[in-house]
Amino acid sequence: MKRVIKKHPLAIRWFHWINFPVIAVMIWSGMLIYWANDIYRLGWGNKTVLKFFPDSFYKALHIPFRLAEGMSLHFVFMWIFAVNGFIYVLYLLFSGEWRLIFPNKKSLKDSFQVVLHDLHLRKSVPDQKKYNAAQRIAYTGVIVMGLGSLLTGLSIYKPIQFHGLAALLGGYEWARAEHFILTILFTLFFVVHIVQVILAGWNNFRSMVTGLDVLPVKEIIFQPTGINNESESKQFGNPVINITEPFIPKDETYPDNAILQITSGDVTGVKDESSIESKNVNPQGPNIS
Amino acid sequence: MDYKEEILVSEKKLRNKTIISFTVFILLLAAAVFAWQKLHEQPKVADVPKPLRTVLNANENFFSNFLSNNHLAKSFPVSQAVKNVRVNGNVGMEADFDPSTWKLQVIRKPGDTLFVTLDEIKALPKTDIVFDFKCIEGWSQVTHWGGVKFSDFAAKYNLNAQTQMKYAGLVTPNKKYYVGIDMPSMMHPQTILCYEMNGKPLPMNQGYPLRLIIPVKYGIKHLKRIGTISFSNERPPDYWYNQGYDYYSGL
């Protein structure tokens, strides 16, 4: 038996995996569009640290002269992005999942500790539910970014019909710059997200597909009942038994047969000295650890 | 929200569920890749795969609802207009043009063409506009233009029946550049038949003697050097539409 938590509801898995290719298409087609007037750079005065984007980058990805193609993709997939995001937010609100994702009072403070922990500068992490404080801020932030992309996008798509929105965002040219900056932030989010998913490991990734988070097996040190004095302990070593099945404390929640199933095997063998010998006795002598 | 609720699942059940979930996941992933490839193999309508073109046309239906004669492009003081106005296209501007013989041709219906001289156009009430001209490439420039509102021109020349139709088509004298424009945008109060830039006659490379200025559209629709104007209920041919751009291109 495995202990599992139903981590990600099916709806959230759908929203997530629809969003992934759709955002990829939006960023790709956005680059095809941006190329036609690629004016943004990092730098000051005449000094440019990083041009968005270097010619070699365009060339490698075959971006030049594809403005029309970019627009035709962008203004189709925008609907999927908007509708998927809109239903996702509605789902969060009505299912109550928002309580697990939106930051709470402690999130800002806790998120620093999470970051310190992830950078190996701190050992313990604050208590968390489904997501840690940094995840709450990141996953809520990315919703806000998505809304920002829709609004800045709409105001450069139809700047006259939505002139009030464009004015609110600082005018047409500013809205275009904001739309670009949000895209850069999306790609940074994506990079960090991928690194964290890789570091978190298979079980975490699997939970985004199956929905189930499989909890780790608890390891206990078992003192076999057949050995009850120090000399015997020295003679036979101090067996450490890894219980490979989940350990379940005996209480009325689970039927007795569940316990029996788990405690069978190695544990019964302990009473049999030959079995201990074959498994645990160090031929070089007693092993007291 | 009670998140930390553990349940016990047998290994077999967990393994089956994992296999099913991943099978569905990989199939959907493959379907997405397949759909992406199929999309690009679809027959093209004006250089855009048909499904995409269908949505772009639907976008026009949706967003044209927001087009209103009350939604005006923002006006700027004349002092903010740039002196060096960008020239970004020369199709239709070839040297084969003879200004001395030019007259605007308005095709009221096939076989019934109205000829209007530049002086007759200049005699109509003049409208100046300083607005942020937006190119489909992504740049914009505050520029100053003068001319007659198309709606004033249509009223003066009794084009009521024609402006009831869905589209206007504009073509350069050498027929190399052409645009189609929906009538609500053509009749928008900021749409002008333009003969002045920065208070002076249009330069040759800006479409002398008469060009279209239509702030509710991207620059690709601001046809330079109008030869003929015609009217129809079908979309007139459009130079950039044929090369994969949106027909509406409205702002």
Side-chain angles (χ1 to χ4, degrees):
Chain A
M1 300 295 272
K2 294 274 188 187
R3 296 180 310 141
V4 300
I5 289 177
K6 289 190 173 176
K7 189 178 183 185
H8 298 297
L10 181 63
I12 285 189
R13 281 176 277 149
W14 271 103
F15 295 132
H16 175 270
W17 289 114
I18 288 173
N19 212 28
F20 170 59
V22 169
I23 286 196
V25 172
M26 288 307 279
I27 292 177
W28 166 245
S29 56
M31 287 195 301
L32 298 182
I33 296 169
Y34 171 74
W35 168 86
N37 184 40
D38 57 339
I39 53 174
Y40 304 128
R41 66 193 176 99
L42 280 182
W44 56 92
N46 290 325
K47 172 82 182 156
T48 296
V49 180
L50 177 62
K51 178 183 181 286
F52 295 112
F53 294 94
D55 287 340
S56 54
F57 174 83
Y58 289 133
K59 215 174 158 186
L61 294 177
H62 301 287
I63 286 175
F65 302 104
R66 295 172 73 176
L67 169 62
E69 181 188 350
M71 293 181 101
S72 69
L73 288 169
H74 214 68
F75 301 138
V76 172
F77 281 81
M78 67 177 185
W79 291 111
I80 311 177
F81 178 69
V83 170
N84 189 53
F86 184 67
I87 302 176
Y88 171 57
V89 171
L90 285 184
Y91 175 82
L92 289 184
L93 296 178
F94 286 102
S95 69
E97 278 281 320
W98 64 271
R99 291 192 188 88
L100 297 172
I101 290 190
F102 292 177
N104 55 29
K105 279 180 219 153
K106 294 186 301 174
S107 293
L108 192 61
K109 192 172 122 253
D110 285 0
S111 64
F112 289 113
Q113 299 177 2
V114 172
V115 171
L116 290 178
H117 172 265
D118 286 358
L119 296 172
H120 302 284
L121 297 172
R122 188 192 157 94
K123 285 215 166 121
S124 66
V125 277
D127 257 3
Q128 65 173 77
K129 286 190 169 177
K130 182 175 178 179
Y131 295 125
N132 67 42
Q135 285 176 302
R136 281 176 184 262
I137 290 173
Y139 298 158
T140 304
V142 89
I143 296 172
V144 175
M145 280 160 54
L147 180 66
S149 287
L150 285 177
L151 294 179
T152 54
L154 182 60
S155 71
I156 51 180
Y157 182 46
K158 301 291 166 192
I160 295 175
Q161 308 322 322
F162 300 96
H163 53 88
L165 181 63
L168 205 68
L169 294 165
Y172 180 72
E173 308 235 320
W174 270 109
R176 186 174 187 262
E178 289 152 10
H179 197 67
F180 181 82
I181 291 165
L182 282 165
T183 310
I184 297 293
L185 292 178
F186 265 110
T187 53
L188 292 178
F189 174 91
F190 179 75
V191 170
V192 174
H193 189 53
I194 294 295
V195 168
Q196 292 283 35
V197 167
I198 290 170
L199 291 178
W202 172 246
N203 183 41
N204 177 67
F205 176 79
R206 180 177 56 190
S207 70
M208 203 62 211
V209 176
T210 66
L212 299 177
D213 188 17
V214 181
L215 297 177
V217 169
K218 282 182 186 163
E219 195 174 82
I220 59 159
I221 302 213
F222 187 83
Q223 186 65 52
T225 49
I227 302 168
N228 44 27
N229 62 53
E230 206 182 326
S231 66
E232 271 184 288
S233 179
K234 278 181 182 169
Q235 188 188 341
F236 298 123
N238 187 16
V240 173
I241 298 174
N242 289 326
I243 296 193
T244 53
E245 295 292 336
F247 173 73
I248 310 214
K250 183 164 181 158
D251 63 32
E252 50 285 351
T253 318
Y254 304 105
D256 276 348
N257 60 350
I259 308 291
L260 278 175
Q261 195 184 354
I262 290 157
T263 51
S264 63
D266 285 4
V267 177
T268 50
V270 168
K271 282 179 181 168
D272 177 358
E273 291 181 3
S274 62
S275 126
I276 294 173
E277 210 165 10
S278 64
K279 281 187 179 169
N280 295 308
V281 174
N282 186 334
Q284 261 75 52
N287 171 19
I288 301 166
S289 51
Chain B
M1 188 106 202
D2 193 15
Y3 169 65
K4 284 277 179 189
E5 194 190 342
E6 296 179 16
I7 49 168
L8 280 175
V9 181
S10 74
E11 292 216 21
K12 194 179 166 196
K13 207 173 158 191
L14 184 64
R15 193 173 57 236
N16 287 346
K17 184 164 169 49
T18 304
I19 290 170
I20 291 169
S21 292
F22 270 90
T23 307
V24 173
F25 180 69
I26 289 165
L27 284 178
L28 284 171
L29 215 64
V33 172
F34 181 74
W36 178 253
Q37 285 173 344
K38 276 284 154 204
L39 177 64
H40 289 86
E41 290 166 13
Q42 293 298 304
K44 289 186 172 181
V45 177
D47 211 33
V48 172
K50 199 175 172 196
L52 297 181
R53 185 56 92 187
T54 305
V55 178
L56 293 182
N57 291 337
N59 286 350
E60 169 174 350
N61 283 336
F62 180 76
F63 282 102
S64 61
N65 290 323
F66 296 94
L67 178 73
S68 157
N69 282 357
N70 299 320
H71 288 178
L72 298 177
K74 189 185 166 194
S75 292
F76 293 80
V78 174
S79 60
Q80 283 195 33
V82 297
K83 295 286 165 275
N84 293 319
V85 181
R86 192 160 163 175
V87 178
N88 210 51
N90 51 19
V91 181
M93 297 291 100
E94 288 76 6
D96 54 5
F97 178 64
D98 178 8
S100 62
T101 59
W102 180 87
K103 277 182 188 168
L104 176 65
Q105 301 180 39
V106 181
I107 302 172
R108 286 182 287 214
K109 58 186 173 197
D112 173 17
T113 301
L114 169 74
F115 292 87
V116 189
T117 65
L118 186 60
D119 286 339
E120 286 168 330
I121 292 168
K122 283 183 172 174
L124 296 172
K126 188 182 167 198
T127 298
D128 275 81
I129 178 165
V130 184
F131 78 107
D132 191 25
F133 181 104
K134 295 176 184 69
C135 177
I136 201 160
E137 293 171 354
W139 53 268
S140 69
Q141 209 175 35
V142 175
T143 45
H144 174 202
W145 311 89
V148 54
K149 283 183 194 176
F150 179 76
S151 56
D152 287 349
F153 176 86
K156 163 77 183 169
Y157 286 96
N158 286 320
L159 300 174
N160 293 333
Q162 286 75 11
T163 55
Q164 296 300 311
M165 300 180 101
K166 284 186 182 164
Y167 297 96
L170 286 73
V171 185
T172 57
N174 67 4
K175 299 185 169 51
K176 287 192 174 159
Y177 197 83
Y178 36 89
V179 297
I181 290 171
D182 55 287
M183 200 57 74
S185 298
M186 199 67 194
M187 297 295 280
H188 188 272
Q190 289 177 312
T191 300
I192 60 176
L193 302 176
C194 162
Y195 48 79
E196 269 186 17
M197 185 181 85
N198 286 334
K200 298 192 192 90
L202 276 182
M204 282 308 256
N205 63 8
Q206 289 288 354
Y208 178 88
L210 190 73
R211 71 172 295 176
L212 185 67
I213 286 292
I214 180 163
V216 294
K217 300 284 188 195
Y218 277 122
I220 52 171
K221 295 282 189 182
H222 297 228
L223 178 132
K224 294 180 213 170
R225 192 168 295 152
I226 307 171
T228 59
I229 303 178
S230 62
F231 306 90
S232 66
N233 284 321
E234 302 299 317
R235 281 177 168 181
D238 190 276
Y239 184 85
W240 288 108
Y241 169 77
N242 291 343
Q243 297 184 42
Y245 288 85
D246 180 31
Y247 194 90
Y248 189 60
S249 291
L251 293 167

